[in-house]
Amino acid sequence: MKHTKIITLSLLLSLAAGCSKKTSDEHFQDAQKFLNENNVQSAVIELKSAIQLSPENGKYRLLLAEIAMSIGDVASADKEYEKAIANGIDVNVLAPSYLRAMFMARKHRELLKFIDGNKTLNEENLAIATVFQLLIELENENRESAKPMLDQIAGQDKFADLASFAQAILLTDAGQSEDAVKKLNDIGKSARIQPEILFAKGRLQLGQRQ
């Protein structure tokens, strides 16, 4: 009996989706409205309806990826960023978030392949990509490989937040954790690598308390 109810419910949901009179753009617009109201669940439902009607629309995929990142579903975000690129979204628009999703999902090989395979990354995104390459080397405890990247990022003057982040790592390595935390605090709210700054700061402060 339970099995029959499940099948019936599934059919009803399919029929409901099929009977929707909204266009894909109307679903997308409703998804944005729900997001503005912090109603993530309804936004996702509307987005998935939009994608069902227009599966090759990159902007639908991009918004779904961003929602997935916001709730910590990095595996889904990674897939949707990839589909967004495949469906025409400029790689420079989503590169920082896509790199972060791959890094958090521990898809290091794919991350490095993405960097090597994209010759159209602009200067800012190349600098951010170097930061994630650095984090991979540090996570794998490859200090010798990390050192040139650290020096490169810390010594550049075009992206001050990235330079300060690398300098904070150098201070940490030198045992100057308080100075490292101060350096991270001085960066402020960097839009480029804010999650990485917060994570580094949290680890340093935890170490200080211990």
Side-chain angles (χ1 to χ4, degrees):
M1 182 66 70
K2 283 186 179 180
H3 185 63
T4 305
K5 285 183 179 179
I6 291 170
I7 293 173
T8 304
L9 179 59
S10 176
L11 286 170
L12 285 172
L13 288 171
S14 299
L15 287 170
C19 292
S20 174
K21 295 181 180 179
K22 289 196 286 190
T23 66
S24 58
D25 270 341
E26 287 171 336
H27 281 297
F28 180 66
Q29 290 164 10
D30 286 342
Q32 291 175 308
K33 290 177 186 175
F34 281 126
L35 276 182
N36 290 335
E37 297 167 0
N38 293 319
N39 188 343
V40 175
Q41 185 175 0
S42 295
V44 170
I45 291 171
E46 290 291 341
L47 264 180
K48 288 191 173 180
S49 295
I51 289 170
Q52 188 175 22
L53 292 170
S54 301
E56 296 181 356
N57 191 306
K59 68 179 182 181
Y60 301 167
R61 299 286 187 180
L62 177 57
L63 184 57
L64 189 57
E66 289 171 347
I67 293 173
M69 281 296 286
S70 73
I71 61 175
D73 185 358
V74 293
S76 295
D78 169 43
K79 292 176 183 176
E80 292 303 328
Y81 281 128
E82 187 176 348
K83 289 175 182 176
I85 293 170
N87 287 290
I89 298 298
D90 183 354
V91 70
N92 283 299
V93 170
L94 51 71
S97 297
Y98 187 29
L99 289 165
R100 181 171 296 115
M102 285 188 283
F103 179 76
M104 292 176 68
R106 301 189 64 79
K107 295 178 70 173
H108 295 174
R109 186 176 299 175
E110 290 85 347
L111 189 156
L112 297 174
K113 184 178 178 181
F114 171 78
I115 295 170
D116 290 339
N118 280 277
K119 305 305 180 185
T120 59
L121 287 176
N122 60 32
E123 188 177 8
E124 179 183 8
N125 282 328
L126 282 172
I128 295 170
T130 304
V131 170
F132 281 104
Q133 287 176 298
L134 166 65
L135 292 174
I136 289 173
E137 296 301 333
L138 292 175
E139 190 169 295
N140 292 329
E141 298 185 357
N142 296 328
R143 289 283 166 176
E144 288 187 13
S145 299
K147 188 65 168 64
M149 295 180 196
L150 261 175
D151 293 339
Q152 176 188 340
I153 301 166
Q156 59 84 31
D157 56 6
K158 193 152 191 180
F159 307 107
D161 53 343
L162 304 184
S164 293
F165 181 71
Q167 289 159 14
I169 295 174
L170 289 169
L171 287 167
T172 303
D173 289 346
Q176 301 175 44
S177 58
E178 289 186 9
D179 290 335
V181 171
K182 185 177 183 303
K183 177 69 72 173
L184 291 171
N185 284 333
D186 289 344
I187 297 174
K189 293 184 177 180
S190 162
R192 280 184 274 259
I193 55 166
Q194 184 64 15
E196 290 69 44
I197 291 169
L198 291 173
F199 181 71
K201 194 190 301 184
R203 290 189 66 177
L204 280 167
Q205 290 171 337
L206 178 62
Q208 287 175 343
R209 285 198 296 271
Q210 290 175 339

